[in-house]
Amino acid sequence: MAGTSTPEPLTGKQKRTIAGGAIGTLMEYYDYYLYGLASAAIFPAVFFTGEDPVVAQLSSFATFAVGFFLRPVGGLVFGPIGDRVGRKMTLLITVVGMGIATAGIGLIPAESSIGIAAPLLLIFFRMCQGFFVGGEMGGAATLVVEHAPVGRRGLYGAFLISGAGIANVASAGLMAGLGLGPETWFMTWGWRIPFVLGLVLAIIAIVLRSKLEESDEFKDTKKAQQDAGVRPHPIAEVFRHPRNAIMGILIGLPQSIAGYVVLTFGIAYMVNQQHIPAWQGFAGTMIVGLLQVFVAPAYGLLSDRVGRRKVYIAGCVGFALLVWPTFLLFGTSNLILIWVGMILGFVIPGVAMQATLQTMLAEMFDPEARTTGVNIGYQISNTLGGGLAPFICTALVAAVGGAIWPVVVYSAVICLVGAIATATANISTDGSRLHELKGAPSATSAV
């Protein structure tokens, strides 16, 4: 169990690191939540107008999934840059790419104006978005965790998810506010404004990240490699000990589906099955995001006290149990109960998982391959889990005539897999290395 002493005040360097990491996570989740909201309630009517409503919704969620398939590619490209050149360089490149791709989506003409070119451009920018997002979490989590005191890594890592909460508030708040205006204006121009604002976030992120410094742990590892005369490739280092790479993917699956089942598919379910106005779902997502800002650090601090495994596994169990009552509340068509369902289904179990995952992944890999290892676990799990979740849930519900029970079963199975992987992964909770540095005089053979 980690120490429970009162945390020391943050230094200026630590504050800059947390802010620089959190702004990128804010952008990552802003981009993806924004796209998720739009794919649930806007894109079917803008980019897939000639299709049956169910097919249009599936097509929209398919483009949502496409971005996730580029995330592992981005993770494999930017992870080694972060581990060899530096975490700062990776985070500067990714944030610029994310901003341009998100703004590009907001500038695509409707299908009624340019025909099939519209959905093709949507897919292109979505792929670019996924590629650059793929390098984001690994660099941000690694930088923040490496700058944090060992006994407070969970707390500091959780601030990244507070950034995600702010993104929830910003994306859903903008959509909800703009959606209150004339529907014709909103579906033509209004929805585009939040996407174009992605460029503003990118500029703010560049300013913050230009002041970041590499951690002492990263510098010491680079020096040790130079002294030993070795320069191992980060991807090779991750798979020199493949167990944790596989465990990282399995661990990440439950947290990856939580938000997209409740907040993305959930809104589509409310709009299409329950005929509830989309703004009610947007407003509920905004409330969830506001709570997430404060709940995430609480879960992070709890993970420092009782252990990250316990908090994460509790989140897995909680989500598996709460999916059913969450959708029962969605089906009441009562605004307050819908919002309660969002909190019940995501804030309580989902944030518990999200707040601990990135720190846990960072503690599963040594510094010379940490960014790459986090990217592999986080991005592949998000591709297989979150990227496909809305599409899978929509197809499952359509296949059984609108019943929600297949979504409950699907969620429970994913949570079981994640809980087992979490219980069996090899995690360094005290800051020590998991394996000897390759090529160092004291190195031992890989296990």
Short mmCIF file of all heavy atoms in Angstrom, two decimals, residues 12 35 54 67 143 146 217 247 278-279 321 330 335 347 356 394 396 403 415 420:
data_model
loop_
_atom_site.label_atom_id
_atom_site.label_comp_id
_atom_site.label_asym_id
_atom_site.label_seq_id
_atom_site.Cartn_x
_atom_site.Cartn_y
_atom_site.Cartn_z
N GLY A 12 6.48 24.51 -9.29
CA GLY A 12 6.11 25.14 -10.56
C GLY A 12 6.29 24.19 -11.72
O GLY A 12 5.47 24.17 -12.65
N TYR A 35 -17.09 14.40 -31.52
CA TYR A 35 -17.40 13.56 -32.68
C TYR A 35 -18.46 12.52 -32.31
O TYR A 35 -19.36 12.22 -33.09
CB TYR A 35 -16.13 12.86 -33.19
CG TYR A 35 -16.31 12.29 -34.58
CD1 TYR A 35 -15.82 12.96 -35.69
CD2 TYR A 35 -16.98 11.09 -34.78
CE1 TYR A 35 -15.99 12.44 -36.97
CE2 TYR A 35 -17.16 10.56 -36.06
CZ TYR A 35 -16.66 11.25 -37.14
OH TYR A 35 -16.84 10.74 -38.40
N VAL A 54 -31.83 3.73 -39.70
CA VAL A 54 -30.97 2.80 -38.96
C VAL A 54 -29.64 2.64 -39.68
O VAL A 54 -28.57 2.65 -39.06
CB VAL A 54 -31.66 1.43 -38.79
CG1 VAL A 54 -30.68 0.43 -38.17
CG2 VAL A 54 -32.90 1.57 -37.92
N GLY A 67 -11.82 6.15 -36.89
CA GLY A 67 -10.77 6.92 -36.23
C GLY A 67 -10.00 6.09 -35.22
O GLY A 67 -8.78 6.26 -35.05
N LEU A 143 4.74 11.52 -19.02
CA LEU A 143 5.36 12.74 -18.53
C LEU A 143 4.84 13.11 -17.14
O LEU A 143 5.61 13.43 -16.24
CB LEU A 143 5.09 13.88 -19.51
CG LEU A 143 5.99 15.12 -19.35
CD1 LEU A 143 7.41 14.79 -19.77
CD2 LEU A 143 5.46 16.28 -20.18
N GLU A 146 5.93 10.45 -14.44
CA GLU A 146 7.36 10.50 -14.14
C GLU A 146 7.73 11.73 -13.32
O GLU A 146 8.74 11.72 -12.60
CB GLU A 146 8.16 10.48 -15.45
CG GLU A 146 8.19 9.12 -16.10
CD GLU A 146 9.02 9.09 -17.38
OE1 GLU A 146 9.39 10.17 -17.89
OE2 GLU A 146 9.28 7.98 -17.87
N GLU A 217 13.91 10.88 -14.55
CA GLU A 217 13.92 9.44 -14.82
C GLU A 217 14.22 9.18 -16.29
O GLU A 217 15.00 8.28 -16.63
CB GLU A 217 12.58 8.83 -14.43
CG GLU A 217 12.55 7.32 -14.46
CD GLU A 217 11.24 6.74 -13.95
OE1 GLU A 217 10.30 7.53 -13.72
OE2 GLU A 217 11.16 5.51 -13.82
N MET A 247 -1.59 -7.68 -21.33
CA MET A 247 -2.42 -7.34 -20.18
C MET A 247 -2.92 -5.89 -20.27
O MET A 247 -4.06 -5.59 -19.92
CB MET A 247 -1.64 -7.51 -18.88
CG MET A 247 -1.35 -8.95 -18.48
SD MET A 247 -2.83 -9.93 -18.11
CE MET A 247 -2.95 -10.91 -19.60
N ALA A 278 -32.24 15.62 -28.47
CA ALA A 278 -30.80 15.40 -28.30
C ALA A 278 -30.19 16.33 -27.26
O ALA A 278 -29.24 15.94 -26.55
CB ALA A 278 -30.09 15.57 -29.64
N TRP A 279 -30.72 17.55 -27.11
CA TRP A 279 -30.11 18.50 -26.20
C TRP A 279 -30.15 18.00 -24.75
O TRP A 279 -29.28 18.34 -23.94
CB TRP A 279 -30.79 19.87 -26.29
CG TRP A 279 -32.16 19.95 -25.67
CD1 TRP A 279 -33.35 19.82 -26.31
CD2 TRP A 279 -32.48 20.19 -24.30
NE1 TRP A 279 -34.39 19.95 -25.43
CE2 TRP A 279 -33.89 20.19 -24.19
CE3 TRP A 279 -31.72 20.41 -23.15
CZ2 TRP A 279 -34.54 20.39 -22.98
CZ3 TRP A 279 -32.37 20.61 -21.94
CH2 TRP A 279 -33.76 20.60 -21.85
N LEU A 321 -22.61 -4.03 -13.28
CA LEU A 321 -23.86 -4.09 -12.52
C LEU A 321 -24.80 -2.92 -12.82
O LEU A 321 -26.02 -3.05 -12.67
CB LEU A 321 -23.56 -4.12 -11.02
CG LEU A 321 -22.83 -5.37 -10.50
CD1 LEU A 321 -22.51 -5.20 -9.01
CD2 LEU A 321 -23.66 -6.62 -10.73
N PHE A 330 -32.89 5.65 -18.71
CA PHE A 330 -33.00 6.32 -20.01
C PHE A 330 -34.39 6.11 -20.61
O PHE A 330 -34.92 6.98 -21.30
CB PHE A 330 -31.95 5.78 -20.98
CG PHE A 330 -30.54 6.21 -20.67
CD1 PHE A 330 -29.47 5.65 -21.36
CD2 PHE A 330 -30.26 7.15 -19.69
CE1 PHE A 330 -28.16 6.05 -21.11
CE2 PHE A 330 -28.96 7.54 -19.41
CZ PHE A 330 -27.91 6.98 -20.12
N LEU A 335 -36.44 13.72 -17.66
CA LEU A 335 -35.17 14.41 -17.80
C LEU A 335 -34.24 14.18 -16.61
O LEU A 335 -33.05 13.84 -16.79
CB LEU A 335 -35.41 15.92 -17.99
CG LEU A 335 -34.17 16.80 -18.16
CD1 LEU A 335 -33.37 16.36 -19.37
CD2 LEU A 335 -34.58 18.27 -18.28
N VAL A 347 -20.21 8.13 -14.16
CA VAL A 347 -19.40 8.83 -13.17
C VAL A 347 -18.92 7.89 -12.06
O VAL A 347 -17.75 7.91 -11.67
CB VAL A 347 -20.17 10.02 -12.55
CG1 VAL A 347 -19.36 10.67 -11.44
CG2 VAL A 347 -20.51 11.04 -13.63
N THR A 356 -7.65 5.77 -12.98
CA THR A 356 -6.52 4.95 -12.55
C THR A 356 -5.77 4.29 -13.70
O THR A 356 -4.62 3.88 -13.53
CB THR A 356 -7.01 3.85 -11.59
OG1 THR A 356 -8.11 3.15 -12.19
CG2 THR A 356 -7.47 4.43 -10.28
N THR A 394 -25.53 -0.60 -31.23
CA THR A 394 -26.62 -0.29 -32.17
C THR A 394 -27.07 -1.54 -32.92
O THR A 394 -28.27 -1.80 -33.07
CB THR A 394 -26.17 0.80 -33.17
OG1 THR A 394 -25.81 1.98 -32.46
CG2 THR A 394 -27.29 1.13 -34.14
N LEU A 396 -26.64 -4.72 -31.99
CA LEU A 396 -27.23 -5.68 -31.06
C LEU A 396 -28.68 -5.33 -30.75
O LEU A 396 -29.57 -6.19 -30.75
CB LEU A 396 -26.42 -5.74 -29.77
CG LEU A 396 -25.05 -6.42 -29.85
CD1 LEU A 396 -24.30 -6.25 -28.54
CD2 LEU A 396 -25.19 -7.90 -30.19
N ALA A 403 -34.62 -4.27 -27.70
CA ALA A 403 -34.32 -4.62 -26.30
C ALA A 403 -32.87 -4.27 -25.96
O ALA A 403 -31.99 -4.33 -26.83
CB ALA A 403 -34.58 -6.10 -26.06
N CYS A 415 -16.12 -6.32 -18.98
CA CYS A 415 -15.68 -5.99 -17.62
C CYS A 415 -15.02 -7.17 -16.93
O CYS A 415 -14.05 -7.01 -16.18
CB CYS A 415 -16.87 -5.50 -16.79
SG CYS A 415 -17.43 -3.84 -17.24
N ILE A 420 -10.02 -9.52 -14.64
CA ILE A 420 -9.06 -10.63 -14.52
C ILE A 420 -7.66 -10.17 -14.93
O ILE A 420 -6.67 -10.48 -14.26
CB ILE A 420 -9.51 -11.82 -15.39
CG1 ILE A 420 -10.81 -12.42 -14.83
CG2 ILE A 420 -8.42 -12.88 -15.46
CD1 ILE A 420 -11.42 -13.49 -15.72
#
